[in-house]
Amino acid sequence: MGNKVIVYVDDAEQARQILAPLSSQASAGKTQWVLVACAPRMTHRISKWVSHSARENWRTKWADKLFSQILPWLHAEGVQASTVLAKGPLPELLAQLQAEHGAAPVIDARRPKQDDMAERPATPVSAAPVTVVRKPSPRRWSLPGTLAGLGAMFMFVAE
């Protein structure tokens, strides 16, 4: 197998939209895709209620369901794919996968988060790890505006 491409996925429909134009090139060029399932993050508070093994079982079942939605479509398109479940930070997993498969390019086919939908391009493809720089969210309260509003309110109440 010659070319390999690492593909981050977390939603079957989103992955299909992004990967559809690339699947014909992959099947023609005999490219193998390494699908990396990126499970949704669990809050740190969930550890109070759910054991580590239960979280791992849930993550495994989630990934199996995701792969069962994506793999039949890819095989019908003629794309060969293997699967990996991300259990830790993506940069560490990427380093491990690139050590195993060579300097494979990365396609981020994950669903965009709500706060960075306008910032993120549709299909970032690069040989280096994909990094998304998040801008700090705009503050809802600004100190000068809040103080001016409170002052005006006190003046109104005082009269």
Side-chain angles (χ1 to χ4, degrees):
M1 195 63 19
N3 302 331
K4 297 203 180 200
V5 176
I6 298 170
V7 182
Y8 295 151
V9 293
D10 66 356
D11 180 68
E13 193 57 38
Q14 176 73 19
R16 197 171 291 152
Q17 289 175 2
I18 292 175
L19 300 177
L22 305 173
S23 63
S24 60
Q25 296 169 356
S27 61
K30 300 297 181 200
T31 301
Q32 180 181 4
W33 289 356
V34 179
L35 298 177
V36 179
C38 304
R41 291 189 57 112
M42 294 184 194
T43 63
H44 68 280
R45 290 182 179 90
I46 203 163
S47 61
K48 290 184 193 177
W49 310 105
V50 180
S51 69
H52 179 71
S53 61
R55 282 180 281 174
E56 291 299 317
N57 287 339
W58 173 84
R59 190 176 285 123
T60 302
K61 287 179 184 176
W62 179 89
D64 289 343
K65 181 180 175 187
L66 177 68
F67 290 142
S68 71
Q69 294 171 348
I70 296 175
L71 286 175
W73 170 74
L74 285 177
H75 292 311
E77 294 284 319
V79 177
Q80 294 191 357
S82 59
T83 60
V84 175
L85 171 58
K87 295 184 179 180
L90 285 180
E92 294 172 15
L93 178 61
L94 180 61
Q96 178 185 353
L97 289 173
Q98 287 186 329
E100 182 180 335
H101 299 292
V106 176
I107 299 174
D108 191 355
R110 295 177 292 176
R111 180 180 53 240
K113 294 188 175 31
Q114 294 296 331
D115 59 344
D116 66 305
M117 286 183 76
E119 300 171 23
R120 197 167 140 201
T123 56
V125 179
S126 66
V130 176
T131 54
V132 177
V133 178
R134 294 184 187 265
K135 296 178 185 171
S137 60
R139 297 187 328 188
R140 294 180 185 204
W141 296 85
S142 66
L143 186 59
T146 304
L147 290 177
L150 286 173
M153 184 178 73
F154 285 131
M155 294 299 284
F156 178 73
V157 171
E159 290 182 359

